[in-house]
Amino acid sequence: MEEIAKALMKKIFSKIEKVIRLLKKSIYFAWHRHHFLIPPSTMKKYIKSFFIVLKRGNNVSNLYTNQKAYLKWINDNTEEINYKKFKYNPKYSFIIPVYNVEKKLLTECLESILSQTYDNYEICIADDHSTNEETINTLKEYEKYENIKIVWRDKNDMISASSNSALDIATGDYIVLVDNDDTIDKDALYYFTEVLNNDKSIDMIYSDEDKLDYNGKRMEPHFKPDYSPETFHSLNYICHLTAIRKTIVDKLGGFRSEYDGSQDYDLFLRVEDKTQNIYHVDKILYHWRQTRTSTAGYLGNKSYAYIAGKNALIDTFKRRNIKAVVR
């Protein structure tokens, strides 16, 4: 009887925790999207969505995205590629910092890269001194691949130091940044290479992206503009998937630890100092996974990332001798 009571209390507290978490996200959304000035018709939709999410057995997914419509859009816009041979075949180095990620997610990430239809690439992994045996054993399983190289770091130093360790063993013409629990489209490198065969001078390429909900279903597409400095100086809309000419990254000294959390934004801003030859591939090639602790699930999960991004932008304007206030 006591065990039943404990199980019941655990279930009740779990439900309460879910309601609180959902309310926090709803308040955050209502302020940042509407400043609490929500039209009655829109409010009705939000309230309906709130209770739909509460009924789900899984973690809270994005409350306000029409996922069904997007999944239909994906189905209607799937294209067949007539693959062609390229004269120029650059080598890509995937840079993946890894730390205590569960086997399923890490495996899905690596398999999505190994499934690329373009084959001139390597995967450079830096394990940031993981303590999770599942993570370590999964990496050891993949270490047998000829095009996978792993650095086993002897201490945990956060994402920039880890990324730099992966960068040290990279030999590609371009580096490609991927998080250890995300996935990419099988034709991602093919599309990037197609662009470079039209213009070898391009220094940085980025694509559109979407998110994976807690069940692994695609949602919340981000259809990005072509390169727009004004927009980029307001937010890191470039994000994923991004390839950067390695010689430029090497000259810049790689990632900077003081901007951990927004280390990619800081790097992109410094790349922008060197070149504006930046190209946008208007295809969704990156799938950013939502987890309880990721910014893909809720921006407030990593407030330090927001602060680091702001500081990176402040530093950029100082570096360029531009008088500006970042709010």
Side-chain angles (χ1 to χ4, degrees):
M1 186 66 74
E2 187 179 340
E3 290 297 319
I4 294 172
K6 283 183 179 178
L8 184 62
M9 289 301 292
K10 187 177 179 181
K11 192 174 180 180
I12 291 169
F13 280 119
S14 176
K15 193 74 172 178
I16 292 170
E17 182 190 15
K18 187 174 183 180
V19 171
I20 292 170
R21 195 165 69 248
L22 187 54
L23 280 169
K24 283 171 68 178
K25 288 189 179 185
S26 300
I27 292 167
Y28 176 89
F29 180 89
W31 170 251
H32 283 272
R33 179 68 65 85
H34 299 283
H35 283 258
F36 296 135
L37 300 174
I38 306 174
S41 58
T42 305
M43 178 62 84
K44 281 177 69 176
K45 289 179 183 177
Y46 288 169
I47 291 171
K48 185 180 178 182
S49 294
F50 184 94
F51 286 105
I52 288 172
V53 172
L54 273 183
K55 288 178 184 178
R56 294 177 184 162
N58 59 314
N59 290 323
V60 178
S61 196
N62 191 297
L63 207 55
Y64 311 110
T65 298
N66 191 338
Q67 190 173 21
K68 190 174 180 182
Y70 178 47
L71 292 174
K72 182 179 184 302
W73 180 90
I74 293 170
N75 189 58
D76 292 344
N77 288 273
T78 301
E79 61 179 357
E80 290 292 325
I81 301 176
N82 184 19
Y83 297 102
K84 56 191 175 187
K85 288 186 177 181
F86 298 118
K87 289 183 179 179
Y88 175 50
N89 293 280
K91 183 178 181 181
Y92 300 92
S93 297
F94 286 95
I95 304 298
I96 310 178
V98 171
Y99 181 70
N100 284 354
V101 61
E102 66 179 85
K103 178 175 183 174
K104 180 179 181 295
L105 303 186
L106 180 55
T107 299
E108 286 181 13
C109 172
L110 295 177
E111 288 298 328
S112 74
I113 298 173
L114 292 169
S115 300
Q116 289 299 295
T117 53
Y118 178 88
D119 62 4
N120 192 15
Y121 66 87
E122 63 182 2
I123 302 173
C124 302
I125 298 170
D127 178 74
D128 201 21
H129 200 57
S130 291
T131 55
N132 186 334
E133 286 297 320
E134 184 178 80
T135 302
I136 296 166
N137 291 334
T138 303
L139 288 175
K140 286 179 178 177
E141 287 175 22
Y142 280 95
E143 206 169 14
K144 63 187 178 186
Y145 287 86
E146 284 185 13
N147 59 347
I148 294 182
K149 301 188 284 190
I150 302 177
V151 175
W152 300 93
R153 292 175 53 80
D154 57 9
K155 63 175 182 176
N156 180 259
D157 259 337
M158 296 290 283
I159 193 166
S160 289
S162 182
S163 298
N164 284 334
S165 292
L167 192 59
D168 287 341
I169 59 170
T171 59
D173 302 293
Y174 288 82
I175 65 162
V176 184
L177 310 180
V178 176
D179 291 342
N180 65 187
D181 53 0
D182 298 338
T183 65
I184 66 172
D185 186 89
K186 65 182 177 63
D187 295 311
L189 293 185
Y190 178 87
Y191 285 121
F192 279 18
T193 306
E194 186 176 45
V195 167
L196 290 169
N197 270 265
N198 292 327
D199 184 356
K200 290 182 187 178
S201 69
I202 291 171
D203 295 311
M204 181 167 163
I205 310 171
Y206 66 95
S207 75
D208 295 340
E209 64 188 277
D210 61 13
K211 293 177 184 172
L212 299 174
D213 70 11
Y214 295 102
N215 291 320
K217 287 186 178 180
R218 291 171 61 182
M219 61 180 288
E220 199 169 328
H222 185 184
F223 300 107
K224 303 171 187 177
D226 287 344
Y227 174 54
S228 166
E230 293 80 8
T231 305
F232 188 54
H233 298 158
S234 298
L235 74 161
N236 180 15
Y237 78 85
I238 288 177
C239 210
H240 306 295
L241 183 70
T242 306
I244 311 169
R245 193 180 296 278
K246 187 175 183 291
T247 52
I248 293 177
V249 178
D250 288 341
K251 285 177 184 175
L252 292 169
F255 299 89
R256 300 196 291 184
S257 293
E258 58 266 42
Y259 299 100
D260 273 346
S262 284
Q263 71 289 333
D264 53 350
Y265 190 34
D266 171 60
L267 177 64
F268 298 164
L269 287 163
R270 288 184 291 130
V271 168
E272 192 186 43
D273 288 343
K274 304 295 183 184
T275 179
Q276 279 75 52
N277 202 350
I278 299 170
Y279 190 89
H280 168 222
V281 176
D282 58 348
K283 296 181 185 298
I284 294 175
L285 303 180
Y286 194 93
H287 313 300
W288 193 14
R289 192 180 302 276
Q290 284 193 332
T291 65
R292 278 195 179 194
T293 57
S294 73
T295 50
Y298 172 46
L299 186 61
N301 280 330
K302 293 181 180 176
S303 57
Y304 70 89
Y306 163 79
I307 295 166
K310 182 179 178 182
N311 289 337
L313 199 55
I314 291 170
D315 180 64
T316 296
F317 289 127
K318 283 182 180 177
R319 198 168 60 242
R320 297 178 187 175
N321 295 315
I322 297 171
K323 290 184 178 180
V325 176
V326 181
R327 290 194 176 93

